[in-house]
Amino acid sequence: MLAKRIIPCLDVRDGKVVKGVNFTGIKEVGDPVECAEEYNKQGADEIVFYDITASYEGRGVFLDVVRETAKKVFVPLTVGGGIKTVDDIRDTLRAGADKVSVNSQAVKNPQLIKQGADIFGSQCICVGIDAKKIADNKWTVFINGGRVDMKLDLVDWVKQIEQLGAGEICLNSIDTDGTKAGFDIDMLNAVCNAVNIPVIASGGCGNLSHFTEVFEKTNSSAALAASLFHFKELTVGQVKAELAEYGFPVRQI
């Protein structure tokens, strides 16, 4: 079994790390470069930056933050928000990102996934998804930071993503986002069962048991969290120690 990855997520707005609940009630947390450095020290397997208003505000990715972080962080760095073109992907990777995460623009222009994978390799292309339950075993995809319902069936979309050449999916549940009530197990299973590429679980982690639960009950390759780490309720090291105790392989510092 491959090592399970623990990924702190830093949502960035106006140059600051922020966190909200169900995509609202935003609070400032701190400086993105400093936060990323701390998670690097704690043994994060990867760090994700999302510019959470770039797509909504129609602007590009925050490359200055990416450059500064890449100088100081030595684990894979994934960057999303405002990536609309192949040139945006190239610029973000050149700034120091190891992967890009495309979300809203991938839905609007699915060929961006294929173009990115063909030019830069599937390993560089992660597709982020914000989805919400609309009926039993049925979810729909939202874009622009959870603001716009695209009436797009989640399972159909992830199958298309895989066919287009994406290397990974980061699946965020709008229903559980920021609630600390646990990951959306049903949604994750629906997606993990539909594709063969790695799936990152995102949205709702509230305590140590939620990390073990998501790996026990789903085939997720990684778990992403924000609030727990930002507000120092847990460290990455504590999470990995817990997972190791339960027999899950993890990368130790």
Side-chain angles (χ1 to χ4, degrees), residues 107-147:
V107 177
K108 295 175 184 175
N109 175 25
Q111 284 305 304
L112 180 61
I113 302 169
K114 178 171 171 45
Q115 291 165 354
D118 286 348
I119 295 169
F120 306 106
S122 292
Q123 79 284 351
C124 290
I125 308 299
C126 175
V127 177
I129 303 173
D130 295 312
K132 187 176 180 65
K133 187 174 183 177
I134 55 171
D136 284 348
N137 298 312
K138 192 167 180 63
W139 300 265
T140 185
V141 175
F142 281 68
I143 64 168
N144 290 357
R147 294 175 178 86

PDB file of all heavy atoms in Angstrom, residues 107-147:
ATOM      1  N   VAL A 107     -14.125  22.947 -15.612  1.00  0.00           N
ATOM      2  CA  VAL A 107     -15.531  22.701 -15.947  1.00  0.00           C
ATOM      3  C   VAL A 107     -15.928  23.504 -17.182  1.00  0.00           C
ATOM      4  O   VAL A 107     -16.610  23.007 -18.091  1.00  0.00           O
ATOM      5  CB  VAL A 107     -16.449  23.058 -14.758  1.00  0.00           C
ATOM      6  CG1 VAL A 107     -17.919  22.872 -15.130  1.00  0.00           C
ATOM      7  CG2 VAL A 107     -16.111  22.205 -13.535  1.00  0.00           C
ATOM      8  N   LYS A 108     -15.493  24.755 -17.240  1.00  0.00           N
ATOM      9  CA  LYS A 108     -15.833  25.615 -18.382  1.00  0.00           C
ATOM     10  C   LYS A 108     -15.128  25.176 -19.656  1.00  0.00           C
ATOM     11  O   LYS A 108     -15.668  25.301 -20.751  1.00  0.00           O
ATOM     12  CB  LYS A 108     -15.446  27.065 -18.072  1.00  0.00           C
ATOM     13  CG  LYS A 108     -16.220  27.697 -16.937  1.00  0.00           C
ATOM     14  CD  LYS A 108     -15.657  29.092 -16.652  1.00  0.00           C
ATOM     15  CE  LYS A 108     -16.315  29.735 -15.458  1.00  0.00           C
ATOM     16  NZ  LYS A 108     -15.696  31.040 -15.117  1.00  0.00           N
ATOM     17  N   ASN A 109     -13.901  24.671 -19.501  1.00  0.00           N
ATOM     18  CA  ASN A 109     -13.084  24.289 -20.655  1.00  0.00           C
ATOM     19  C   ASN A 109     -12.346  22.989 -20.355  1.00  0.00           C
ATOM     20  O   ASN A 109     -11.151  22.996 -20.034  1.00  0.00           O
ATOM     21  CB  ASN A 109     -12.096  25.412 -20.986  1.00  0.00           C
ATOM     22  CG  ASN A 109     -11.138  25.020 -22.097  1.00  0.00           C
ATOM     23  OD1 ASN A 109     -11.435  24.158 -22.925  1.00  0.00           O
ATOM     24  ND2 ASN A 109      -9.962  25.657 -22.123  1.00  0.00           N
ATOM     25  N   PRO A 110     -13.030  21.835 -20.445  1.00  0.00           N
ATOM     26  CA  PRO A 110     -12.398  20.558 -20.098  1.00  0.00           C
ATOM     27  C   PRO A 110     -11.130  20.259 -20.887  1.00  0.00           C
ATOM     28  O   PRO A 110     -10.250  19.535 -20.405  1.00  0.00           O
ATOM     29  CB  PRO A 110     -13.497  19.532 -20.403  1.00  0.00           C
ATOM     30  CG  PRO A 110     -14.779  20.302 -20.290  1.00  0.00           C
ATOM     31  CD  PRO A 110     -14.463  21.673 -20.795  1.00  0.00           C
ATOM     32  N   GLN A 111     -10.997  20.824 -22.083  1.00  0.00           N
ATOM     33  CA  GLN A 111      -9.796  20.569 -22.885  1.00  0.00           C
ATOM     34  C   GLN A 111      -8.530  21.111 -22.223  1.00  0.00           C
ATOM     35  O   GLN A 111      -7.424  20.682 -22.545  1.00  0.00           O
ATOM     36  CB  GLN A 111      -9.957  21.157 -24.292  1.00  0.00           C
ATOM     37  CG  GLN A 111     -10.867  20.337 -25.193  1.00  0.00           C
ATOM     38  CD  GLN A 111     -10.419  18.884 -25.301  1.00  0.00           C
ATOM     39  OE1 GLN A 111      -9.272  18.600 -25.673  1.00  0.00           O
ATOM     40  NE2 GLN A 111     -11.309  17.946 -24.983  1.00  0.00           N
ATOM     41  N   LEU A 112      -8.694  22.039 -21.275  1.00  0.00           N
ATOM     42  CA  LEU A 112      -7.536  22.540 -20.540  1.00  0.00           C
ATOM     43  C   LEU A 112      -6.850  21.404 -19.781  1.00  0.00           C
ATOM     44  O   LEU A 112      -5.619  21.381 -19.663  1.00  0.00           O
ATOM     45  CB  LEU A 112      -7.961  23.646 -19.564  1.00  0.00           C
ATOM     46  CG  LEU A 112      -6.855  24.269 -18.719  1.00  0.00           C
ATOM     47  CD1 LEU A 112      -5.798  24.947 -19.600  1.00  0.00           C
ATOM     48  CD2 LEU A 112      -7.438  25.268 -17.722  1.00  0.00           C
ATOM     49  N   ILE A 113      -7.644  20.446 -19.281  1.00  0.00           N
ATOM     50  CA  ILE A 113      -7.077  19.286 -18.591  1.00  0.00           C
ATOM     51  C   ILE A 113      -6.207  18.486 -19.555  1.00  0.00           C
ATOM     52  O   ILE A 113      -5.054  18.142 -19.251  1.00  0.00           O
ATOM     53  CB  ILE A 113      -8.189  18.385 -18.019  1.00  0.00           C
ATOM     54  CG1 ILE A 113      -9.080  19.165 -17.049  1.00  0.00           C
ATOM     55  CG2 ILE A 113      -7.593  17.150 -17.345  1.00  0.00           C
ATOM     56  CD1 ILE A 113     -10.346  18.410 -16.648  1.00  0.00           C
ATOM     57  N   LYS A 114      -6.744  18.187 -20.723  1.00  0.00           N
ATOM     58  CA  LYS A 114      -6.014  17.392 -21.723  1.00  0.00           C
ATOM     59  C   LYS A 114      -4.769  18.127 -22.208  1.00  0.00           C
ATOM     60  O   LYS A 114      -3.677  17.538 -22.298  1.00  0.00           O
ATOM     61  CB  LYS A 114      -6.929  17.058 -22.903  1.00  0.00           C
ATOM     62  CG  LYS A 114      -6.223  16.280 -24.008  1.00  0.00           C
ATOM     63  CD  LYS A 114      -7.190  15.775 -25.037  1.00  0.00           C
ATOM     64  CE  LYS A 114      -6.469  15.182 -26.247  1.00  0.00           C
ATOM     65  NZ  LYS A 114      -5.348  14.299 -25.901  1.00  0.00           N
ATOM     66  N   GLN A 115      -4.920  19.420 -22.485  1.00  0.00           N
ATOM     67  CA  GLN A 115      -3.781  20.201 -22.977  1.00  0.00           C
ATOM     68  C   GLN A 115      -2.674  20.234 -21.918  1.00  0.00           C
ATOM     69  O   GLN A 115      -1.490  20.053 -22.227  1.00  0.00           O
ATOM     70  CB  GLN A 115      -4.225  21.622 -23.317  1.00  0.00           C
ATOM     71  CG  GLN A 115      -5.129  21.708 -24.528  1.00  0.00           C
ATOM     72  CD  GLN A 115      -5.850  23.049 -24.632  1.00  0.00           C
ATOM     73  OE1 GLN A 115      -5.774  23.892 -23.740  1.00  0.00           O
ATOM     74  NE2 GLN A 115      -6.577  23.246 -25.724  1.00  0.00           N
ATOM     75  N   GLY A 116      -3.061  20.466 -20.676  1.00  0.00           N
ATOM     76  CA  GLY A 116      -2.075  20.516 -19.594  1.00  0.00           C
ATOM     77  C   GLY A 116      -1.374  19.186 -19.403  1.00  0.00           C
ATOM     78  O   GLY A 116      -0.147  19.130 -19.232  1.00  0.00           O
ATOM     79  N   ALA A 117      -2.149  18.101 -19.427  1.00  0.00           N
ATOM     80  CA  ALA A 117      -1.570  16.765 -19.245  1.00  0.00           C
ATOM     81  C   ALA A 117      -0.658  16.395 -20.413  1.00  0.00           C
ATOM     82  O   ALA A 117       0.413  15.801 -20.219  1.00  0.00           O
ATOM     83  CB  ALA A 117      -2.684  15.734 -19.095  1.00  0.00           C
ATOM     84  N   ASP A 118      -1.064  16.747 -21.626  1.00  0.00           N
ATOM     85  CA  ASP A 118      -0.252  16.425 -22.811  1.00  0.00           C
ATOM     86  C   ASP A 118       1.080  17.166 -22.796  1.00  0.00           C
ATOM     87  O   ASP A 118       2.124  16.609 -23.175  1.00  0.00           O
ATOM     88  CB  ASP A 118      -1.014  16.783 -24.093  1.00  0.00           C
ATOM     89  CG  ASP A 118      -2.144  15.809 -24.410  1.00  0.00           C
ATOM     90  OD1 ASP A 118      -2.197  14.737 -23.761  1.00  0.00           O
ATOM     91  OD2 ASP A 118      -2.975  16.128 -25.284  1.00  0.00           O
ATOM     92  N   ILE A 119       1.067  18.420 -22.365  1.00  0.00           N
ATOM     93  CA  ILE A 119       2.272  19.250 -22.430  1.00  0.00           C
ATOM     94  C   ILE A 119       3.178  19.032 -21.212  1.00  0.00           C
ATOM     95  O   ILE A 119       4.397  18.897 -21.347  1.00  0.00           O
ATOM     96  CB  ILE A 119       1.899  20.743 -22.554  1.00  0.00           C
ATOM     97  CG1 ILE A 119       1.178  20.991 -23.881  1.00  0.00           C
ATOM     98  CG2 ILE A 119       3.138  21.632 -22.450  1.00  0.00           C
ATOM     99  CD1 ILE A 119       0.532  22.360 -23.993  1.00  0.00           C
ATOM    100  N   PHE A 120       2.580  18.995 -20.025  1.00  0.00           N
ATOM    101  CA  PHE A 120       3.373  18.993 -18.798  1.00  0.00           C
ATOM    102  C   PHE A 120       3.379  17.650 -18.072  1.00  0.00           C
ATOM    103  O   PHE A 120       4.164  17.441 -17.150  1.00  0.00           O
ATOM    104  CB  PHE A 120       2.861  20.078 -17.839  1.00  0.00           C
ATOM    105  CG  PHE A 120       2.808  21.442 -18.466  1.00  0.00           C
ATOM    106  CD1 PHE A 120       1.598  22.003 -18.820  1.00  0.00           C
ATOM    107  CD2 PHE A 120       3.976  22.139 -18.727  1.00  0.00           C
ATOM    108  CE1 PHE A 120       1.544  23.260 -19.418  1.00  0.00           C
ATOM    109  CE2 PHE A 120       3.941  23.397 -19.321  1.00  0.00           C
ATOM    110  CZ  PHE A 120       2.717  23.955 -19.671  1.00  0.00           C
ATOM    111  N   GLY A 121       2.515  16.739 -18.485  1.00  0.00           N
ATOM    112  CA  GLY A 121       2.407  15.430 -17.842  1.00  0.00           C
ATOM    113  C   GLY A 121       1.232  15.378 -16.876  1.00  0.00           C
ATOM    114  O   GLY A 121       0.937  16.364 -16.186  1.00  0.00           O
ATOM    115  N   SER A 122       0.603  14.229 -16.818  1.00  0.00           N
ATOM    116  CA  SER A 122      -0.561  14.055 -15.938  1.00  0.00           C
ATOM    117  C   SER A 122      -0.228  14.356 -14.485  1.00  0.00           C
ATOM    118  O   SER A 122      -1.071  14.841 -13.723  1.00  0.00           O
ATOM    119  CB  SER A 122      -1.096  12.619 -16.044  1.00  0.00           C
ATOM    120  OG  SER A 122      -1.649  12.384 -17.308  1.00  0.00           O
ATOM    121  N   GLN A 123       1.023  14.067 -14.081  1.00  0.00           N
ATOM    122  CA  GLN A 123       1.410  14.254 -12.681  1.00  0.00           C
ATOM    123  C   GLN A 123       1.333  15.715 -12.245  1.00  0.00           C
ATOM    124  O   GLN A 123       1.285  16.004 -11.044  1.00  0.00           O
ATOM    125  CB  GLN A 123       2.814  13.699 -12.431  1.00  0.00           C
ATOM    126  CG  GLN A 123       3.970  14.578 -12.886  1.00  0.00           C
ATOM    127  CD  GLN A 123       4.196  14.576 -14.391  1.00  0.00           C
ATOM    128  OE1 GLN A 123       3.599  13.781 -15.115  1.00  0.00           O
ATOM    129  NE2 GLN A 123       5.068  15.454 -14.863  1.00  0.00           N
ATOM    130  N   CYS A 124       1.298  16.635 -13.204  1.00  0.00           N
ATOM    131  CA  CYS A 124       1.240  18.069 -12.880  1.00  0.00           C
ATOM    132  C   CYS A 124      -0.192  18.603 -12.808  1.00  0.00           C
ATOM    133  O   CYS A 124      -0.388  19.756 -12.417  1.00  0.00           O
ATOM    134  CB  CYS A 124       1.986  18.881 -13.940  1.00  0.00           C
ATOM    135  SG  CYS A 124       3.775  18.672 -13.899  1.00  0.00           S
ATOM    136  N   ILE A 125      -1.166  17.785 -13.194  1.00  0.00           N
ATOM    137  CA  ILE A 125      -2.536  18.281 -13.312  1.00  0.00           C
ATOM    138  C   ILE A 125      -3.445  17.616 -12.289  1.00  0.00           C
ATOM    139  O   ILE A 125      -3.774  16.428 -12.380  1.00  0.00           O
ATOM    140  CB  ILE A 125      -3.106  18.034 -14.733  1.00  0.00           C
ATOM    141  CG1 ILE A 125      -2.153  18.572 -15.797  1.00  0.00           C
ATOM    142  CG2 ILE A 125      -4.492  18.665 -14.855  1.00  0.00           C
ATOM    143  CD1 ILE A 125      -1.892  20.061 -15.734  1.00  0.00           C
ATOM    144  N   CYS A 126      -3.853  18.406 -11.317  1.00  0.00           N
ATOM    145  CA  CYS A 126      -4.857  17.984 -10.333  1.00  0.00           C
ATOM    146  C   CYS A 126      -6.138  18.754 -10.632  1.00  0.00           C
ATOM    147  O   CYS A 126      -6.094  19.968 -10.858  1.00  0.00           O
ATOM    148  CB  CYS A 126      -4.372  18.291  -8.918  1.00  0.00           C
ATOM    149  SG  CYS A 126      -5.588  17.934  -7.620  1.00  0.00           S
ATOM    150  N   VAL A 127      -7.252  18.059 -10.651  1.00  0.00           N
ATOM    151  CA  VAL A 127      -8.534  18.748 -10.843  1.00  0.00           C
ATOM    152  C   VAL A 127      -9.248  18.845  -9.505  1.00  0.00           C
ATOM    153  O   VAL A 127      -9.539  17.828  -8.867  1.00  0.00           O
ATOM    154  CB  VAL A 127      -9.419  18.041 -11.885  1.00  0.00           C
ATOM    155  CG1 VAL A 127     -10.773  18.752 -12.000  1.00  0.00           C
ATOM    156  CG2 VAL A 127      -8.728  18.037 -13.248  1.00  0.00           C
ATOM    157  N   GLY A 128      -9.472  20.075  -9.075  1.00  0.00           N
ATOM    158  CA  GLY A 128     -10.221  20.314  -7.853  1.00  0.00           C
ATOM    159  C   GLY A 128     -11.709  20.341  -8.149  1.00  0.00           C
ATOM    160  O   GLY A 128     -12.134  20.846  -9.197  1.00  0.00           O
ATOM    161  N   ILE A 129     -12.493  19.790  -7.247  1.00  0.00           N
ATOM    162  CA  ILE A 129     -13.947  19.752  -7.430  1.00  0.00           C
ATOM    163  C   ILE A 129     -14.615  20.183  -6.135  1.00  0.00           C
ATOM    164  O   ILE A 129     -14.277  19.700  -5.052  1.00  0.00           O
ATOM    165  CB  ILE A 129     -14.432  18.334  -7.781  1.00  0.00           C
ATOM    166  CG1 ILE A 129     -13.743  17.795  -9.030  1.00  0.00           C
ATOM    167  CG2 ILE A 129     -15.957  18.318  -7.967  1.00  0.00           C
ATOM    168  CD1 ILE A 129     -14.051  16.333  -9.318  1.00  0.00           C
ATOM    169  N   ASP A 130     -15.570  21.100  -6.252  1.00  0.00           N
ATOM    170  CA  ASP A 130     -16.460  21.445  -5.145  1.00  0.00           C
ATOM    171  C   ASP A 130     -17.833  20.884  -5.501  1.00  0.00           C
ATOM    172  O   ASP A 130     -18.401  21.246  -6.537  1.00  0.00           O
ATOM    173  CB  ASP A 130     -16.552  22.963  -4.968  1.00  0.00           C
ATOM    174  CG  ASP A 130     -15.219  23.573  -4.553  1.00  0.00           C
ATOM    175  OD1 ASP A 130     -14.609  23.035  -3.622  1.00  0.00           O
ATOM    176  OD2 ASP A 130     -14.800  24.569  -5.168  1.00  0.00           O
ATOM    177  N   ALA A 131     -18.342  19.987  -4.666  1.00  0.00           N
ATOM    178  CA  ALA A 131     -19.597  19.315  -4.996  1.00  0.00           C
ATOM    179  C   ALA A 131     -20.546  19.308  -3.802  1.00  0.00           C
ATOM    180  O   ALA A 131     -20.122  19.365  -2.649  1.00  0.00           O
ATOM    181  CB  ALA A 131     -19.333  17.893  -5.476  1.00  0.00           C
ATOM    182  N   LYS A 132     -21.819  19.205  -4.102  1.00  0.00           N
ATOM    183  CA  LYS A 132     -22.863  19.258  -3.076  1.00  0.00           C
ATOM    184  C   LYS A 132     -23.915  18.197  -3.365  1.00  0.00           C
ATOM    185  O   LYS A 132     -24.271  17.945  -4.519  1.00  0.00           O
ATOM    186  CB  LYS A 132     -23.506  20.646  -3.083  1.00  0.00           C
ATOM    187  CG  LYS A 132     -24.490  20.917  -1.958  1.00  0.00           C
ATOM    188  CD  LYS A 132     -24.976  22.351  -2.033  1.00  0.00           C
ATOM    189  CE  LYS A 132     -25.978  22.658  -0.922  1.00  0.00           C
ATOM    190  NZ  LYS A 132     -25.382  22.589   0.416  1.00  0.00           N
ATOM    191  N   LYS A 133     -24.410  17.560  -2.317  1.00  0.00           N
ATOM    192  CA  LYS A 133     -25.421  16.514  -2.464  1.00  0.00           C
ATOM    193  C   LYS A 133     -26.762  17.120  -2.861  1.00  0.00           C
ATOM    194  O   LYS A 133     -27.192  18.134  -2.294  1.00  0.00           O
ATOM    195  CB  LYS A 133     -25.572  15.753  -1.140  1.00  0.00           C
ATOM    196  CG  LYS A 133     -26.481  14.541  -1.222  1.00  0.00           C
ATOM    197  CD  LYS A 133     -26.462  13.772   0.090  1.00  0.00           C
ATOM    198  CE  LYS A 133     -27.313  12.505  -0.009  1.00  0.00           C
ATOM    199  NZ  LYS A 133     -27.244  11.707   1.237  1.00  0.00           N
ATOM    200  N   ILE A 134     -27.437  16.498  -3.843  1.00  0.00           N
ATOM    201  CA  ILE A 134     -28.757  16.978  -4.245  1.00  0.00           C
ATOM    202  C   ILE A 134     -29.832  15.894  -4.088  1.00  0.00           C
ATOM    203  O   ILE A 134     -31.022  16.193  -4.116  1.00  0.00           O
ATOM    204  CB  ILE A 134     -28.759  17.494  -5.701  1.00  0.00           C
ATOM    205  CG1 ILE A 134     -28.228  16.424  -6.678  1.00  0.00           C
ATOM    206  CG2 ILE A 134     -27.938  18.778  -5.814  1.00  0.00           C
ATOM    207  CD1 ILE A 134     -28.400  16.801  -8.134  1.00  0.00           C
ATOM    208  N   ALA A 135     -29.409  14.647  -3.919  1.00  0.00           N
ATOM    209  CA  ALA A 135     -30.340  13.525  -3.701  1.00  0.00           C
ATOM    210  C   ALA A 135     -29.517  12.341  -3.220  1.00  0.00           C
ATOM    211  O   ALA A 135     -28.285  12.405  -3.178  1.00  0.00           O
ATOM    212  CB  ALA A 135     -31.085  13.177  -4.996  1.00  0.00           C
ATOM    213  N   ASP A 136     -30.172  11.261  -2.856  1.00  0.00           N
ATOM    214  CA  ASP A 136     -29.433  10.076  -2.429  1.00  0.00           C
ATOM    215  C   ASP A 136     -28.487   9.616  -3.537  1.00  0.00           C
ATOM    216  O   ASP A 136     -28.903   9.424  -4.692  1.00  0.00           O
ATOM    217  CB  ASP A 136     -30.403   8.936  -2.095  1.00  0.00           C
ATOM    218  CG  ASP A 136     -31.092   9.156  -0.753  1.00  0.00           C
ATOM    219  OD1 ASP A 136     -30.645  10.047  -0.002  1.00  0.00           O
ATOM    220  OD2 ASP A 136     -32.079   8.452  -0.473  1.00  0.00           O
ATOM    221  N   ASN A 137     -27.215   9.458  -3.168  1.00  0.00           N
ATOM    222  CA  ASN A 137     -26.191   9.000  -4.114  1.00  0.00           C
ATOM    223  C   ASN A 137     -26.096   9.867  -5.365  1.00  0.00           C
ATOM    224  O   ASN A 137     -25.779   9.377  -6.451  1.00  0.00           O
ATOM    225  CB  ASN A 137     -26.441   7.540  -4.516  1.00  0.00           C
ATOM    226  CG  ASN A 137     -26.358   6.616  -3.320  1.00  0.00           C
ATOM    227  OD1 ASN A 137     -25.416   6.692  -2.534  1.00  0.00           O
ATOM    228  ND2 ASN A 137     -27.348   5.764  -3.161  1.00  0.00           N
ATOM    229  N   LYS A 138     -26.353  11.161  -5.207  1.00  0.00           N
ATOM    230  CA  LYS A 138     -26.260  12.080  -6.349  1.00  0.00           C
ATOM    231  C   LYS A 138     -25.742  13.433  -5.869  1.00  0.00           C
ATOM    232  O   LYS A 138     -26.238  13.995  -4.899  1.00  0.00           O
ATOM    233  CB  LYS A 138     -27.619  12.239  -7.023  1.00  0.00           C
ATOM    234  CG  LYS A 138     -27.539  12.930  -8.368  1.00  0.00           C
ATOM    235  CD  LYS A 138     -28.820  12.787  -9.152  1.00  0.00           C
ATOM    236  CE  LYS A 138     -28.750  13.491 -10.506  1.00  0.00           C
ATOM    237  NZ  LYS A 138     -27.733  12.933 -11.399  1.00  0.00           N
ATOM    238  N   TRP A 139     -24.717  13.920  -6.580  1.00  0.00           N
ATOM    239  CA  TRP A 139     -24.081  15.177  -6.221  1.00  0.00           C
ATOM    240  C   TRP A 139     -23.895  16.016  -7.476  1.00  0.00           C
ATOM    241  O   TRP A 139     -23.757  15.482  -8.570  1.00  0.00           O
ATOM    242  CB  TRP A 139     -22.710  14.926  -5.596  1.00  0.00           C
ATOM    243  CG  TRP A 139     -22.759  14.103  -4.347  1.00  0.00           C
ATOM    244  CD1 TRP A 139     -22.795  14.547  -3.055  1.00  0.00           C
ATOM    245  CD2 TRP A 139     -22.776  12.669  -4.252  1.00  0.00           C
ATOM    246  NE1 TRP A 139     -22.842  13.502  -2.176  1.00  0.00           N
ATOM    247  CE2 TRP A 139     -22.827  12.332  -2.884  1.00  0.00           C
ATOM    248  CE3 TRP A 139     -22.758  11.639  -5.198  1.00  0.00           C
ATOM    249  CZ2 TRP A 139     -22.865  11.013  -2.444  1.00  0.00           C
ATOM    250  CZ3 TRP A 139     -22.792  10.326  -4.760  1.00  0.00           C
ATOM    251  CH2 TRP A 139     -22.841  10.020  -3.397  1.00  0.00           C
ATOM    252  N   THR A 140     -23.884  17.326  -7.307  1.00  0.00           N
ATOM    253  CA  THR A 140     -23.677  18.225  -8.441  1.00  0.00           C
ATOM    254  C   THR A 140     -22.444  19.078  -8.208  1.00  0.00           C
ATOM    255  O   THR A 140     -22.066  19.352  -7.053  1.00  0.00           O
ATOM    256  CB  THR A 140     -24.917  19.103  -8.685  1.00  0.00           C
ATOM    257  OG1 THR A 140     -24.732  19.880  -9.876  1.00  0.00           O
ATOM    258  CG2 THR A 140     -25.156  20.064  -7.528  1.00  0.00           C
ATOM    259  N   VAL A 141     -21.807  19.492  -9.290  1.00  0.00           N
ATOM    260  CA  VAL A 141     -20.547  20.228  -9.243  1.00  0.00           C
ATOM    261  C   VAL A 141     -20.808  21.735  -9.267  1.00  0.00           C
ATOM    262  O   VAL A 141     -21.613  22.220 -10.069  1.00  0.00           O
ATOM    263  CB  VAL A 141     -19.650  19.826 -10.433  1.00  0.00           C
ATOM    264  CG1 VAL A 141     -18.386  20.669 -10.484  1.00  0.00           C
ATOM    265  CG2 VAL A 141     -19.315  18.338 -10.353  1.00  0.00           C
ATOM    266  N   PHE A 142     -20.110  22.449  -8.377  1.00  0.00           N
ATOM    267  CA  PHE A 142     -20.188  23.911  -8.318  1.00  0.00           C
ATOM    268  C   PHE A 142     -18.846  24.504  -8.750  1.00  0.00           C
ATOM    269  O   PHE A 142     -17.800  23.863  -8.626  1.00  0.00           O
ATOM    270  CB  PHE A 142     -20.484  24.367  -6.886  1.00  0.00           C
ATOM    271  CG  PHE A 142     -21.914  24.251  -6.470  1.00  0.00           C
ATOM    272  CD1 PHE A 142     -22.518  23.003  -6.305  1.00  0.00           C
ATOM    273  CD2 PHE A 142     -22.684  25.386  -6.239  1.00  0.00           C
ATOM    274  CE1 PHE A 142     -23.837  22.892  -5.914  1.00  0.00           C
ATOM    275  CE2 PHE A 142     -24.007  25.286  -5.840  1.00  0.00           C
ATOM    276  CZ  PHE A 142     -24.593  24.043  -5.679  1.00  0.00           C
ATOM    277  N   ILE A 143     -18.890  25.749  -9.216  1.00  0.00           N
ATOM    278  CA  ILE A 143     -17.654  26.467  -9.550  1.00  0.00           C
ATOM    279  C   ILE A 143     -17.657  27.839  -8.876  1.00  0.00           C
ATOM    280  O   ILE A 143     -18.606  28.202  -8.180  1.00  0.00           O
ATOM    281  CB  ILE A 143     -17.458  26.622 -11.078  1.00  0.00           C
ATOM    282  CG1 ILE A 143     -18.558  27.485 -11.689  1.00  0.00           C
ATOM    283  CG2 ILE A 143     -17.385  25.265 -11.757  1.00  0.00           C
ATOM    284  CD1 ILE A 143     -18.265  27.918 -13.127  1.00  0.00           C
ATOM    285  N   ASN A 144     -16.574  28.593  -9.119  1.00  0.00           N
ATOM    286  CA  ASN A 144     -16.405  29.942  -8.562  1.00  0.00           C
ATOM    287  C   ASN A 144     -16.548  29.948  -7.047  1.00  0.00           C
ATOM    288  O   ASN A 144     -17.333  30.705  -6.475  1.00  0.00           O
ATOM    289  CB  ASN A 144     -17.384  30.937  -9.199  1.00  0.00           C
ATOM    290  CG  ASN A 144     -17.057  31.236 -10.652  1.00  0.00           C
ATOM    291  OD1 ASN A 144     -16.052  30.736 -11.166  1.00  0.00           O
ATOM    292  ND2 ASN A 144     -17.890  32.001 -11.318  1.00  0.00           N
ATOM    293  N   GLY A 145     -15.765  29.062  -6.405  1.00  0.00           N
ATOM    294  CA  GLY A 145     -15.768  29.029  -4.949  1.00  0.00           C
ATOM    295  C   GLY A 145     -17.102  28.628  -4.354  1.00  0.00           C
ATOM    296  O   GLY A 145     -17.491  29.133  -3.291  1.00  0.00           O
ATOM    297  N   GLY A 146     -17.782  27.698  -5.005  1.00  0.00           N
ATOM    298  CA  GLY A 146     -19.048  27.204  -4.474  1.00  0.00           C
ATOM    299  C   GLY A 146     -20.243  28.118  -4.741  1.00  0.00           C
ATOM    300  O   GLY A 146     -21.320  27.919  -4.180  1.00  0.00           O
ATOM    301  N   ARG A 147     -20.068  29.098  -5.640  1.00  0.00           N
ATOM    302  CA  ARG A 147     -21.138  30.069  -5.885  1.00  0.00           C
ATOM    303  C   ARG A 147     -22.099  29.672  -6.989  1.00  0.00           C
ATOM    304  O   ARG A 147     -23.251  30.106  -6.993  1.00  0.00           O
ATOM    305  CB  ARG A 147     -20.536  31.434  -6.241  1.00  0.00           C
ATOM    306  CG  ARG A 147     -19.760  32.098  -5.124  1.00  0.00           C
ATOM    307  CD  ARG A 147     -19.094  33.387  -5.612  1.00  0.00           C
ATOM    308  NE  ARG A 147     -18.370  34.071  -4.547  1.00  0.00           N
ATOM    309  CZ  ARG A 147     -17.116  33.813  -4.203  1.00  0.00           C
ATOM    310  NH1 ARG A 147     -16.454  32.858  -4.839  1.00  0.00           N
ATOM    311  NH2 ARG A 147     -16.526  34.468  -3.226  1.00  0.00           N
TER     312      ARG A 147
END
